[in-house]
Amino acid sequence: MSSPARFDRGHTDDLMTFLTASPSPYHAVANAAERLEKAGFRQLSESDAWDSGTGGRFVLRGGALIAWYVPEGASAHTPFRIIGAHTDSPNLRVKPVPDTGSQGWRQVAVEIYGGTLLNTWLDRDLGLAGRLSLRDGTDRLVNVDRPLLRVPQLAVHLDRSVNSDGLKLDKQRHMQPIWGLGDAREGDLIAFLEEEEGLPQGSVAGWDLMVHSIEPPAYLGRDRELLAGPRMDNLLSVHAGVAALAAAATSGKTDHIPVLAAFDHEENGSQSDTGADGPLLGNVLERSVFSRGGSYEDKARAFAGTICLSSDTGHAVHPNYAERHDPSHHPRANGGPILKVNVNQRYATDGSGRAVFAAACERAGVPWQTFVSNNSMPCGTTIGPITAARHGIQTVDIGVAILSMHSARELCGSDDPFLLANALLAFLEG
């Protein structure tokens, strides 16, 4: 028998709030941490000794968060059930020397982050958000969520072939946003942000800043059956993972240790101290074992029984480009989460992983679909294979099917976020 759903359309409404409040990975983990604290979790410092008690805990490092819940009766060798996701999205990021300009226009120098669809950033009202590192050693989140920047497209009158030959954008010459008139002045952008934040002039020593579209998420379609919004790849999974972990911590149904691992830098290869290819997850899991009096043998036993669902967005069948998809695998919006398969290990799913995911969806009463790439198209990848190879744990790649992936504004079915959250909760409780 399927259990009744724990999340409904209210979850999708809440996702919209989360997306709006999370214009950078640093904001995303701060908002996730706040939600977990309300659910009774407490933050640990990596530099402190960890106790052996039960309950919810989390650690933050930059744009990454690892959270877990130790139930009553857990032993040192109790296996983990992990939801993996990532907090970063393709966008435009501010360079170390940001103040530039030309021809009487003041501009901000940006670098392209990840595999973004460049044209989707043109002619949008853009804000600026991220992290300021201060001279006193502290960090400050900043979010200028109003029209501040714009990347203007060349008028069709000056590019007559744009509609016949296609738009051609040079990442260096054509993607620098404008933010005013006049000559560029060194230090102007950071001085502006110091003023915005009420900080003393000259107090900012470093920054990790990125632009974002200020257009809020919105339901779309005659029956509001679609959701349009920014950063759904992959804050949709982060939000669902937070909700599922908080619910699992209060259900009393888990006999293992549920974990949420939300990494940064997936969009450029995961090779960082906060990425899935770094040591963060392994260190946290090991310390959790050792803090409960465990040995290396206990850690090996725990990892041997651990399963990870790596949740990231995938491709819904595109009505205008159906030939780009595998002819027998057409994931559809509101068809439920997708199981992502690639025999060349671009996704980590195998047959036993399929059984784990199918069982979770059955328990949750959630429909699910399968995604595989067209043989003639290269297949993308995500944190699943990295997690499996780095930690030697069984990993299954899943997600929600979307359109416009890597656009400044993406599209999914409005039912799919809460269907995913229900499947994740059933997995954690399984």
Side-chain angles (χ1 to χ4, degrees):
M1 289 290 293
S2 298
S3 60
R6 301 276 291 277
F7 303 107
D8 55 21
R9 179 59 70 89
H11 175 89
T12 304
D13 294 338
D14 188 63
L15 169 63
M16 297 165 73
T17 300
F18 185 79
L19 292 173
T20 300
S22 304
S24 78
Y26 314 107
H27 289 83
V29 297
N31 290 321
E34 181 180 2
R35 289 162 180 254
L36 289 171
E37 285 180 332
K38 290 180 179 177
F41 286 66
R42 61 185 176 91
Q43 184 175 355
L44 298 181
S45 170
E46 291 186 79
S47 60
D48 291 341
W50 291 1
D51 62 63
S52 60
T54 59
R57 298 164 172 77
F58 65 88
V59 296
L60 299 178
R61 184 192 290 184
L65 173 147
I66 311 293
W68 67 102
Y69 179 80
V70 181
E72 294 285 346
S75 68
H77 60 264
T78 297
F80 302 92
R81 283 224 165 180
I82 304 170
I83 297 169
H86 67 88
T87 61
D88 60 320
S89 302
N91 57 17
L92 313 178
R93 302 204 171 187
V94 176
K95 288 185 174 181
V97 180
D99 300 293
T100 186
S102 178
Q103 308 301 321
W105 296 96
R106 293 164 64 197
Q107 295 173 279
V108 174
V110 297
E111 191 173 3
I112 309 304
Y113 179 83
T116 186
L117 285 170
L118 296 179
N119 65 293
T120 68
W121 292 94
L122 302 179
D123 296 332
R124 288 186 183 272
D125 295 336
L126 304 173
L128 188 66
R131 178 178 66 176
L132 301 175
S133 297
L134 309 185
R135 296 189 186 280
D136 64 6
T138 63
D139 292 328
R140 176 77 67 90
L141 296 186
V142 60
N143 182 11
V144 183
D145 195 32
R146 65 176 188 271
L148 181 68
L149 304 133
R150 183 182 177 95
V151 184
Q153 185 172 346
L154 185 64
V156 67
H157 312 79
L158 304 178
D159 188 6
R160 294 288 185 179
S161 63
V162 64
N163 290 324
S164 57
D165 297 343
L167 178 65
K168 297 179 177 61
L169 294 171
D170 183 279
K171 293 179 180 179
Q172 180 63 38
R173 292 186 296 121
H174 300 150
M175 296 306 298
Q176 309 306 312
I178 61 173
W179 74 306
L181 298 172
D183 297 327
R185 296 188 294 271
E186 184 178 352
D188 207 16
L189 179 67
I190 300 306
F192 162 76
L193 294 176
E194 289 172 336
E195 183 179 357
E196 283 283 305
E197 289 298 304
L199 295 169
Q201 185 176 1
S203 60
V204 174
W207 52 88
D208 300 282
L209 299 167
M210 56 207 73
V211 306
H212 64 276
S213 172
I214 64 167
E215 185 180 4
Y219 288 110
L220 185 147
R222 185 194 66 181
D223 299 318
R224 293 162 54 91
E225 70 266 51
L226 299 172
L227 175 66
R231 300 177 294 281
M232 286 195 277
D233 178 10
N234 186 35
L235 293 187
L236 188 158
S237 294
V238 174
H239 175 260
V242 170
L245 179 61
T250 61
S251 72
K253 296 180 180 179
T254 180
D255 57 2
H256 43 256
I257 298 173
V259 179
L260 170 64
F263 300 104
D264 201 354
H265 300 133
E266 187 273 348
E267 296 294 355
N268 60 11
S270 296
Q271 292 185 323
S272 71
D273 69 322
T274 54
D277 203 19
L280 181 58
L281 176 61
N283 287 348
V284 169
L285 298 184
E286 286 180 358
R287 291 186 68 178
S288 174
V289 170
F290 297 154
S291 70
R292 284 176 278 122
S295 63
Y296 178 84
E297 182 72 11
D298 291 310
K299 175 223 166 181
R301 292 175 65 188
F303 277 40
T306 292
I307 306 173
C308 174
L309 284 192
S310 164
S311 181
D312 200 353
T313 55
H315 301 292
V317 61
H318 197 301
N320 299 334
Y321 301 91
E323 73 281 359
R324 303 293 182 96
H325 300 263
D326 183 85
S328 58
H329 296 79
H330 280 181
R332 300 179 183 275
N334 289 333
I338 56 173
L339 180 73
K340 300 157 78 171
V341 179
N342 179 262
V343 295
N344 294 303
Q345 292 300 293
R346 301 292 285 174
Y347 301 127
T349 306
D350 61 10
S352 62
R354 174 191 172 102
V356 169
F357 178 64
C361 289
E362 182 178 353
R363 287 193 300 272
V366 168
W368 60 280
Q369 312 173 81
T370 305
F371 171 83
V372 66
S373 288
N374 187 307
N375 287 337
S376 300
M377 305 289 293
C379 180
T381 190
T382 181
I383 64 171
I386 295 171
T387 303
R390 183 170 185 84
H391 305 293
I393 58 180
Q394 182 181 14
T395 304
V396 188
D397 276 301
I398 67 162
V400 162
I402 70 171
L403 292 181
S404 306
M405 186 184 293
H406 288 195
S407 169
R409 193 168 178 84
E410 296 163 325
L411 184 73
C412 75
S414 56
D415 293 344
D416 283 327
F418 66 81
L419 293 176
L420 173 67
N422 282 308
L424 295 179
L425 176 55
F427 165 72
L428 293 182
E429 291 181 339

